[in-house]
Amino acid sequence: MAKQTHILVIRFSAMGDVAMTYPVLKSLLQNYPELKITFLTRGFFKPIFSDLHQVEVFAGDLKGRHKGIAGLYRLSRELKELNINAVADLHNVLRTKILRFFLKGIPFLQIDKGRQDKKELINGRIFKQLKTTSERYVDVFKELGFNFTLLPQIDVNRKPLPEAFLNVFPKKEKKWIGIAPFAAHVSKVYPIEQMKLVIDVLEKDYQIFLFGSPGDEALKLEHISNKYTNVFNMAEKFNFGDELKIVSNLNVMVSMDSGNGHLAANFGIPVLTLWGVTHPYLGFAPYNKKINRGLMADRSSFPKIPTSVYGNRYPDGYETAISTIEPEQIIASARELLGQD
């Protein structure tokens, strides 16, 4: 396929899945700089791609204008007006299959999610590293005729800090650690009392920023931050774009198996991920293994890990598996990533 073309890329779903497309698109565009990309996703995710100038985010309104079959037909008509030459479907779900029908005549390649391999890993028939999600994304573009490999790493890309943030932290007196203690499912959340033990130690030497969603998570994080001098609750303080700029200035991010780890990795920030009933072998670890590290629950006590792809299914008692990661392990790993023994 010619280099000068316009590709529609589709990926809705969770923030982490969308964030994992960033290193792929960055790698693709370094090899094909004349390429134009329209990214169909939630409008909220637009800041993730702010420095990829060949990428324009098209906000899909799946709960409104583009809801249901009639809405998807309307969406397909809007997309056709953009003169798309090919479609890279990195989601491959029912609604994108419907879009494929409506966009008949345009080359439309869909991701192979490796469901059978993941099923075998979950059922214990194999235990090995599967192809990563980023690699599966690359495969879609290769099928469209774009031959490239993922960049071996993304250099640290620090953004200018928002003025409102600089009013609170005018200068960086200590190294910064981000901690994102929540995830979509309880089985992927490190117990808050154990995380407090981590914070007790690290906040003496570092400035800690807590990341979470508005509402209940924000309230919990505010309660924690109020107990410490060097801990700041980020939730509900800044918009998503400004929050990403702050993430880009961290020295380390400590994250569950969740989107925050992927966002930090996209800026070249070292990431320490904590894994409960899921496992990085499923292919969802943050990009760039050289600067990222994962701490896993004890499989000798919980041998059925991974119990599901997303952590939403697990045997009774497995929701506590992540607690087998000791606070001392997290502290030591964070310090090592910060360049200290």
Side-chain angles (χ1 to χ4, degrees):
M1 184 174 290
K3 291 183 179 180
Q4 293 184 341
T5 191
H6 185 183
I7 297 180
L8 173 69
V9 178
I10 306 174
R11 181 73 231 202
F12 290 106
S13 193
M15 182 168 63
D17 296 314
V18 175
M20 280 187 282
T21 67
Y22 175 88
V24 176
L25 297 183
K26 187 176 182 68
S27 302
L28 171 66
L29 290 169
Q30 284 208 2
N31 285 271
Y32 298 92
E34 297 180 2
L35 200 59
K36 179 180 179 181
I37 294 174
T38 293
F39 197 114
L40 175 60
T41 189
R42 289 172 53 196
F44 178 80
F45 296 140
K46 184 176 181 178
I48 294 174
F49 308 97
S50 62
D51 66 341
L52 297 182
H53 303 302
Q54 300 99 316
V55 177
E56 182 174 343
V57 171
F58 188 107
D61 184 12
L62 300 179
K63 294 183 178 180
R65 179 175 176 79
H66 304 137
K67 182 179 180 180
I69 293 177
L72 291 173
Y73 177 71
R74 183 179 297 113
L75 174 59
S76 71
R77 295 291 297 271
E78 295 170 10
L79 294 172
K80 284 180 179 179
E81 293 178 1
L82 302 178
N83 296 317
I84 302 296
N85 301 115
V87 181
D89 177 9
L90 307 184
H91 202 172
N92 194 359
V93 291
L94 179 59
R95 67 168 58 96
T96 63
K97 288 180 170 66
I98 294 172
L99 272 178
R100 181 176 186 171
F101 175 78
F102 289 146
L103 295 173
K104 188 175 182 180
I106 300 175
F108 197 116
L109 274 296
Q110 295 181 293
I111 186 173
D112 176 1
K113 294 183 175 181
R115 289 187 175 93
Q116 185 57 42
D117 285 342
K118 290 174 182 175
K119 184 178 180 181
E120 291 183 2
L121 181 57
I122 290 166
N123 290 335
R125 289 193 286 269
I126 61 171
F127 187 66
K128 65 180 182 180
Q129 177 66 60
L130 301 182
K131 184 178 289 189
T132 68
T133 298
S134 295
E135 289 168 336
R136 295 185 188 280
Y137 290 163
V138 169
D139 288 343
V140 178
F141 291 102
K142 285 185 176 179
E143 287 187 67
L144 285 171
F146 298 96
N147 293 310
F148 69 101
T149 56
L150 280 170
L151 294 168
Q153 65 183 47
I154 291 178
D155 294 331
V156 176
N157 181 17
R158 303 199 189 281
K159 302 294 184 182
L161 289 164
E163 184 176 348
F165 179 84
L166 289 172
N167 290 336
V168 183
F169 295 93
K171 58 182 178 179
K172 192 172 186 177
E173 297 178 343
K174 301 181 178 185
K175 288 186 177 181
W176 291 353
I177 300 176
I179 298 180
F182 299 109
H185 304 288
V186 66
S187 63
K188 301 200 295 183
V189 177
Y190 193 62
I192 200 68
E193 293 305 317
Q194 287 178 269
M195 186 58 80
K196 287 179 183 177
L197 297 176
V198 174
I199 294 172
D200 283 341
V201 174
L202 292 179
E203 74 98 21
K204 292 179 175 63
D205 299 314
Y206 308 103
Q207 175 65 49
I208 294 176
F209 297 96
L210 303 178
F211 292 83
S213 300
D216 186 56
E217 290 184 11
L219 289 173
K220 291 177 180 178
L221 295 180
E222 191 69 22
H223 182 70
I224 295 171
S225 66
N226 287 338
K227 296 182 178 180
Y228 298 96
T229 301
N230 296 316
V231 179
F232 183 79
N233 171 28
M234 291 288 299
E236 297 184 338
K237 300 293 197 307
F238 304 93
N239 63 42
F240 183 50
D242 283 347
E243 193 168 288
L244 286 180
K245 293 175 183 177
I246 297 165
V247 168
S248 79
N249 283 272
L250 297 175
N251 296 102
V252 164
M253 170 66 86
V254 179
S255 171
M256 307 301 105
D257 172 18
S258 66
N260 288 282
H262 299 291
L263 295 173
N266 287 349
F267 292 110
I269 306 303
V271 178
L272 174 62
T273 43
L274 311 182
W275 300 77
V277 300
T278 55
H279 195 281
Y281 276 6
L282 286 162
F284 296 102
Y287 180 71
N288 195 349
K289 296 176 183 177
K290 291 184 179 179
I291 60 170
N292 296 329
R293 181 169 306 168
L295 294 176
M296 270 66 76
D298 182 6
R299 289 189 76 248
S300 63
S301 300
F302 297 92
K304 295 182 180 179
I305 291 174
T307 64
S308 65
V309 173
Y310 304 112
N312 56 330
R313 295 191 301 275
Y314 45 85
D316 289 343
Y318 270 62
E319 66 275 10
T320 65
I322 197 171
S323 67
T324 60
I325 302 172
E326 297 293 339
E328 292 77 13
Q329 291 177 270
I330 300 172
I331 294 165
S333 294
R335 287 188 184 279
E336 189 171 342
L337 287 173
L338 286 160
Q340 296 191 15
D341 296 327

